[in-house]
Amino acid sequence: QGQLVDSGGDLVQPGGSLRLSCAASGFTLDYYAIGWFRQAPGKEREGISCIKSSDGSTYYADSVKGRFTISRDNAKNTVYLQMNDLRPEDAAVYYCATRCDLVAGEDVVILAYGMEFWGKGTLVTVSS
């Protein structure tokens, strides 16, 4: 049974950094586009980043572009989200998934192939 485990959330001060991890077990991440999503209390889930499997292309929502970086380490079967210059409005539960669904500038990026897996979420709190 495949699963994704997202981790790395923590309490951080504004301007701080965190690195989230999305580790797969039971299947190989290589063949999947991986997306990061977040959901703040009272708000809808928002797709914020995506990395393709085919060529490693990356996409970012305008809200995080220039501050967040998505990467993958296929040897470790893990995708990362490096988050810098965190702001109070970045506070949310962050999820990774084997799908991408976000607005990246003028592009709508929707990628989903085969079985869909979601992590259970990791909480990021940004507060002084």
Side-chain angles (χ1 to χ4, degrees), residues 5-82:
V5 177
D6 32 34
S7 62
D10 205 344
L11 169 63
V12 63
Q13 293 185 343
S17 298
L18 282 175
R19 188 178 78 160
L20 305 184
S21 299
C22 174
S25 63
F27 68 101
T28 303
L29 277 181
D30 300 28
Y31 305 114
Y32 292 86
I34 301 298
W36 281 98
F37 299 78
R38 67 185 182 186
Q39 188 166 22
K43 294 189 176 181
E44 293 187 354
R45 187 179 66 196
E46 173 191 18
I48 58 169
S49 187
C50 171
I51 185 165
K52 291 177 67 175
S53 61
S54 55
D55 59 5
S57 296
T58 58
Y59 304 88
Y60 300 94
D62 288 348
S63 57
V64 305
K65 190 173 184 178
R67 301 186 298 123
F68 290 12
T69 303
I70 189 171
S71 63
R72 64 195 305 155
D73 185 338
N74 289 338
K76 294 184 178 181
N77 217 23
T78 301
V79 169
Y80 302 98
L81 185 68
Q82 177 66 42

Side-chain angles (χ1 to χ4, degrees), residues 89-117:
E89 55 264 37
D90 294 318
V93 178
Y94 284 71
Y95 303 87
C96 63
T98 54
R99 70 172 285 123
C100 294
D101 189 348
L102 74 156
V103 176
E106 297 182 351
D107 298 325
V108 176
V109 181
I110 300 177
L111 300 170
Y113 305 104
M115 290 192 66
E116 192 166 303
F117 299 97

